[in-house]
Amino acid sequence: MRKHLIVGAIAACLALTGCSEQPADEATPPAASTGAAKAPDEAEPDGDGTGGDGTGGDGKPAEAGAQLSFGKAARTVGDEGTGVLEITPTTVVYADTALGYDPDEQGNRFAVVTLKVKAATAVAAQQAPPITGGGWSWIAADGEAIDAGNGGSAASVTPGKYTAAGPVQPGSHQWDSAAWELTPEQAKGGTLVYVDGEGVAHRWEVPSKSSGPQVAELEEALEY
């Protein structure tokens, strides 16, 4: 009788405490980790390559030069992107002859524009020439674009002190000029365009008649 009581007590103890042994191959597997690595196609973006907005990387839109009134200065980038020039077209003179030259085509006229070119930073800079895609042009009322110095005669119109070339040193300015041979209709005003060292086109509205503070001086310089 006593043996049966002892066996019964042991069985009850095992049932209540769950102290029975479990084979190793039947152990409960560990819970899956919640920080498992994602597959490559599920990886989070790292932010690279998401800023391509066509703005040159600085977040600012690339703007072409605004059209200015004649006599207003434009800040332009120097040739090959070096330095900054403040360029101001100051005077325009229309003339039938210039420095003893007649227009190549009878009835045409010359248009000569004086240019104040100032270094705007502590770095010397010079104007971008046509060979690098820069330089000056005249857009007539009908939309025709005419390069400065077009024709043999216009290229020879280099009045007096308005012939500066080469780099403009910091803290200084130079006087330059540009000349065109135009038909009578084209010589009634237009749009002056300068393309700088970054390819930006700066524009000015040109008066239809000789205008500017150097008219008398320029007319005298153009006399032969």
Side-chain angles (χ1 to χ4, degrees):
M1 180 70 177
R2 184 174 179 175
K3 181 186 290 187
H4 289 300
L5 291 173
I6 293 172
V7 171
I10 293 172
C13 175
L14 291 175
L16 290 171
T17 62
C19 53
S20 61
E21 294 185 1
Q22 194 172 25
D25 57 355
E26 294 179 8
T28 304
S33 171
T34 58
K38 296 185 179 180
D41 60 346
E42 297 176 348
E44 295 292 335
D46 60 6
D48 292 341
T50 61
D53 55 3
T55 63
D58 60 3
K60 297 179 182 178
E63 298 180 358
Q67 178 139 333
L68 302 171
S69 300
F70 196 76
K72 297 293 185 181
R75 286 178 66 87
T76 72
V77 176
D79 188 29
E80 298 183 347
T82 301
V84 176
L85 293 172
E86 189 176 276
I87 299 181
T88 310
T90 60
T91 296
V92 59
V93 163
Y94 298 95
D96 295 326
T97 62
L99 299 175
Y101 295 101
D102 293 321
D104 293 345
E105 297 293 329
Q106 187 174 4
N108 284 355
R109 305 191 75 197
F110 293 116
V112 184
V113 175
T114 59
L115 307 165
K116 184 177 181 180
V117 186
K118 177 183 177 182
T121 65
V123 178
Q126 62 184 25
Q127 296 178 61
I131 195 170
T132 63
W136 294 89
S137 61
W138 182 289
I139 300 180
D142 63 1
E144 182 179 357
I146 306 158
D147 291 337
N150 62 311
S153 296
S156 301
V157 177
T158 53
K161 72 176 187 180
Y162 302 102
T163 57
V168 184
Q169 297 302 318
S172 70
H173 70 271
Q174 297 177 351
W175 285 99
D176 196 8
S177 63
W180 292 262
E181 179 178 330
L182 305 173
T183 67
E185 286 303 313
Q186 293 170 340
K188 293 181 179 179
T191 301
L192 183 67
V193 179
Y194 171 67
V195 178
D196 71 11
E198 283 193 339
V200 176
H202 304 270
R203 304 166 182 269
W204 294 264
E205 229 178 287
V206 186
S208 59
K209 296 181 179 180
S210 296
S211 305
Q214 289 97 8
V215 167
E217 181 181 67
L218 183 56
E219 287 178 339
E220 183 177 351
L222 292 173
E223 292 178 1
Y224 179 65

